[in-house]
Amino acid sequence: MESDAVDVKPQIDSTTIMNPLDPDEFKRQGYIMIDFLANYYRNVANYPVLSQVESNYLRKRLQKSAPFDPQPIEEILQDVQQHIIPGITHWQSPNFFAYFPATTSTAGFLGEMLSTGLNVVGFNWVASPAATELESIVMDWLGQELKLPETFLFSGNGGGVLLNTTCEAIVCTLVAARDKVLSHVGNDKITKLVVYASDQTHSTVQKAAQIAGIHPKNFHVIQTNKSTSFALSPEALLSAILVDLENGLIPCFLCASVGTTATTAIDPIGPLCNVAKKFGIWVHVDAAYAGSACICPEFRSFINGIEEVNSFSFNPHKWFFTNLSCCCLWVKVPSDLTSSLSTNPHFLRNKASDSKQVIDYKDWQINLSRKFNSLKLWMVLRSYGIGNLRSFIRNDVKMAKTFEELVKLDRRFEIFAPRILSLVCFRLKPSAIAHKVPIANGPQNGKLATEEFVNQVNNKLLDLINGSGKVYMTHAIVGGAFVIRCAIGTTLTEEQHVIMAWKVVQEKANSILGRTKEVSILQELNLSLPIIDLAMI
């Protein structure tokens, strides 16, 4: 019996099918996008640095569902200008002094554009030989400029890899360290492994320890203090190790910092290695921000002792004009990484890999897929040269010195931790607050507000600074003190912006310390804190 159903084939009009990569349209829209970004950079200083929007603002502005029909790039960019830009905290503003810089540059942008445009997936050598080989060359180039020992370069049987972030670098090296220790003591001892860091070490190390399966109680934080400028003490490390050994634990991994997030403290690499190596501890050096400066001879001493460590990383996307994301990791013994991170499925087998004469970067990282990131670092190095890159960094340090001197000239403020590179940590002095801020029932007769109250006032000062929209700074808690961080290094920042930032700080300090009537700062902060003798500070 024949079916009455009619086999209707869909009619496709080939003229309506878009070519998503039409070269002419790519060129037209590309020019429009470049013009848009050029105008953004030209005007970025005029935007409030810290976004002023409220949460969920964007859902109220954009359409409720994805469009069915295509929309022109002009209309899309109009929405970017009207709706997206107001919700951006402008990291490229010359008035951005928060966190650490996330520098960009023409070369970094074009390198990213080229990498994105080629869109190769270089997980192993055969997938794109140029991607692998350029990366190994660039890592040796940069390692040479940092004066890393030959043992960290491919030319000396070490090697380097480009990852996305410091967190990824620490996860990879911690896993390698973990497996190296467990290969000697047995996998059942994983609950005994200990990871060491200072109280100034970035929290990414704790996250890496969690990912690597280290027992939370075995992530040991060693306290620092102002007497060592908040650097990790080798003596304190040794004491912690000896206690752990007595308790039957197994020391495994130490992360030393060159340029901590809070104050840019520099841990003494050589002395720490002298302690760690006695117990077979893997030493990783995290120089995410400060590593860039080490291409300058006058700052190279920050990584003295690097020849003794197992691994070293820094982020060119912070202060090396190489757009996010880009993290350089060097290891002395690449097989330590690859033995922990390698997989060899049949569909990836090929003669080049089997020959062991090529690098397969998939075995140096967590992910399988990877971008052609070496292009942008290569373009930065070639477009500016080491000489100009050194000048950029030195100029930022010079501007930080200017800001530091301005702080010192105002007796109400203090530099809380030594300025090492381009980060200045400062606060209103307790004595300035005691003399100027009216506090119910005190302070008086040579007495001073508690540290908690001083912290609250400095916190309020920072809120006023950032609320102005003119500049953006962040804070740190160091030795129990709330300090304001002014991190200089954004690509567009000039001395005029630094001076303007200080004027904003003074203006907001005046608005706090100049109050002698109406409501007191204590009442405004809704605090009822005791006072203590100056002799106790």
Side-chain angles (χ1 to χ4, degrees):
M1 181 175 179
E2 294 183 0
S3 170
D4 293 331
V6 178
D7 183 16
V8 179
K9 294 184 178 180
Q11 299 298 309
I12 300 176
D13 183 357
S14 61
T15 62
T16 66
I17 299 177
M18 293 179 66
N19 179 354
L21 196 57
D22 176 79
D24 291 331
E25 187 62 14
F26 173 76
K27 181 178 180 179
R28 185 186 76 82
Q29 293 191 29
Y31 279 121
I32 292 173
M33 184 64 75
I34 292 291
D35 284 342
F36 180 87
L37 288 171
N39 286 330
Y40 170 75
Y41 288 128
R42 190 175 291 116
N43 296 305
V44 67
N46 299 323
Y47 295 117
V49 190
L50 182 63
S51 175
Q52 306 295 302
V53 301
E54 297 180 354
S55 59
N56 297 314
Y57 88 100
L58 195 57
R59 190 171 293 277
K60 300 172 186 176
R61 294 192 181 193
L62 298 186
Q63 56 199 54
K64 302 302 180 183
S65 59
F68 181 79
D69 294 315
Q71 297 177 337
I73 186 67
E74 294 86 353
E75 182 179 338
I76 295 169
L77 288 180
Q78 186 177 19
D79 280 351
V80 171
Q81 186 64 48
Q82 292 180 357
H83 305 309
I84 303 300
I85 295 294
I88 290 177
T89 291
H90 298 281
W91 285 67
Q92 302 314 314
S93 169
N95 304 312
F96 184 96
F97 302 101
Y99 306 107
F100 279 129
T103 51
T104 187
S105 65
T106 300
F109 176 84
L110 293 178
E112 181 73 35
M113 185 178 178
L114 185 57
S115 172
T116 300
L118 295 175
N119 203 33
V120 303
V121 185
F123 46 74
N124 60 13
W125 181 88
V126 74
S128 277
T132 296
E133 297 195 9
L134 184 62
E135 186 162 336
S136 64
I137 290 168
V138 166
M139 291 302 291
D140 269 7
W141 277 10
L142 197 48
Q144 289 163 3
E145 295 303 328
L146 291 166
K147 292 186 168 43
L148 295 184
E150 190 75 11
T151 50
F152 276 105
L153 308 182
F154 284 104
S155 55
N157 296 320
V161 58
L162 288 174
L163 303 175
N164 291 313
T165 64
T166 296
C167 186
E168 189 177 348
I170 294 176
V171 169
C172 290
T173 54
L174 179 49
V175 165
R178 177 200 67 189
D179 291 351
K180 192 172 183 179
V181 172
L182 292 180
S183 68
H184 293 98
V185 301
N187 290 338
D188 59 323
K189 295 294 195 303
I190 188 171
T191 58
K192 301 289 187 181
L193 301 187
V194 181
V195 171
Y196 300 95
S198 85
D199 58 354
Q200 301 301 306
T201 303
H202 197 282
S203 59
T204 194
V205 181
Q206 183 176 7
K207 178 180 284 191
Q210 293 171 196
I211 294 170
I214 302 300
H215 195 288
K217 291 183 179 179
N218 292 347
F219 179 74
H220 289 179
V221 176
I222 301 170
Q223 298 300 307
T224 62
N225 55 65
K226 202 165 186 176
S227 66
T228 61
S229 298
F230 303 103
L232 177 57
S233 160
E235 292 77 17
L237 173 64
L238 178 59
S239 296
I241 292 170
L242 293 177
V243 170
D244 290 339
L245 289 173
E246 288 181 6
N247 291 328
L249 299 177
I250 304 171
C252 175
F253 184 90
L254 166 67
C255 182
S257 299
V258 172
T260 59
T261 298
T263 66
T264 328
I266 308 292
D267 290 340
I269 298 174
L272 289 173
C273 286
N274 291 340
V275 173
K277 292 303 177 181
K278 294 177 182 178
F279 304 96
I281 298 172
W282 181 297
V283 180
H284 176 77
V285 171
D286 168 23
Y289 153 73
S292 297
C294 293
I295 66 166
C296 301
E298 64 269 33
F299 301 130
R300 172 55 178 75
S301 61
F302 293 160
I303 57 172
N304 282 355
I306 199 73
E307 63 276 1
E308 298 298 328
V309 310
N310 299 84
S311 52
F312 169 72
S313 64
F314 89 98
N315 294 349
H317 63 235
K318 289 192 184 298
W319 203 17
F320 209 73
F321 308 92
T322 308
N323 299 36
L324 192 75
S325 57
C326 185
C327 174
C328 294
L329 168 66
W330 288 270
V331 289
K332 190 176 291 182
V333 183
S335 61
D336 288 339
L337 273 189
T338 58
S339 63
S340 292
L341 302 174
S342 292
T343 55
N344 194 27
H346 192 270
F347 71 91
L348 292 180
R349 295 284 300 272
N350 61 85
K351 291 181 179 179
S353 297
D354 290 344
S355 74
K356 307 298 182 183
Q357 299 301 307
V358 298
I359 302 165
D360 286 344
Y361 272 123
K362 70 179 179 63
D363 299 328
W364 293 57
Q365 62 177 29
I366 298 169
N367 303 332
L368 173 63
S369 298
R370 60 199 327 270
K371 289 181 64 177
F372 197 168
N373 269 343
S374 56
L375 272 176
K376 59 184 176 182
L377 186 52
W378 183 60
M379 286 193 68
V380 166
L381 289 167
R382 292 193 62 187
S383 297
Y384 304 123
I386 295 299
N388 275 317
L389 290 167
R390 288 172 176 166
S391 295
F392 298 155
I393 290 167
R394 287 167 175 156
N395 189 55
D396 290 339
V397 174
K398 180 182 177 183
M399 288 191 288
K401 289 180 180 178
T402 296
F403 189 88
E404 179 186 33
E405 291 305 315
L406 291 171
V407 175
K408 289 179 177 179
L409 287 173
D410 190 327
R411 294 183 179 180
R412 301 172 300 173
F413 289 87
E414 66 178 344
I415 301 295
F416 190 82
R419 182 204 53 75
I420 297 173
L421 288 167
S422 65
L423 173 67
V424 181
C425 295
F426 67 100
R427 68 170 183 169
L428 281 168
K429 289 179 181 177
S431 58
I433 293 169
H435 289 308
K436 293 293 184 181
V437 178
I439 301 176
N441 301 320
Q444 53 192 343
N445 300 326
K447 293 189 176 182
L448 188 65
T450 62
E451 187 73 7
E452 183 180 354
F453 183 71
V454 172
N455 287 348
Q456 291 286 346
V457 173
N458 278 286
N459 195 345
K460 178 65 176 177
L461 173 59
L462 180 61
D463 286 344
L464 293 175
I465 292 167
N466 291 337
S468 72
K470 296 178 180 178
V471 298
Y472 180 33
M473 298 179 186
T474 47
H475 74 281
I477 302 294
V478 188
F482 183 101
V483 298
I484 301 173
R485 300 169 68 261
C486 178
I488 295 168
T490 302
T491 309
L492 296 174
T493 299
E494 299 175 358
E495 190 173 80
Q496 60 177 314
H497 303 109
V498 173
I499 293 171
M500 183 276 291
W502 175 242
K503 289 181 178 179
V504 172
V505 173
Q506 287 188 306
E507 174 190 327
K508 300 309 176 184
N510 291 341
S511 71
I512 291 177
L513 299 182
R515 295 176 180 177
T516 56
K517 298 178 181 178
E518 298 102 326
V519 65
S520 74
I521 278 288
L522 180 65
Q523 293 167 328
E524 183 177 321
L525 296 174
N526 194 27
L527 293 173
S528 297
L529 300 174
I531 55 178
I532 58 177
D533 290 335
L534 282 169
M536 297 174 63
I537 299 296

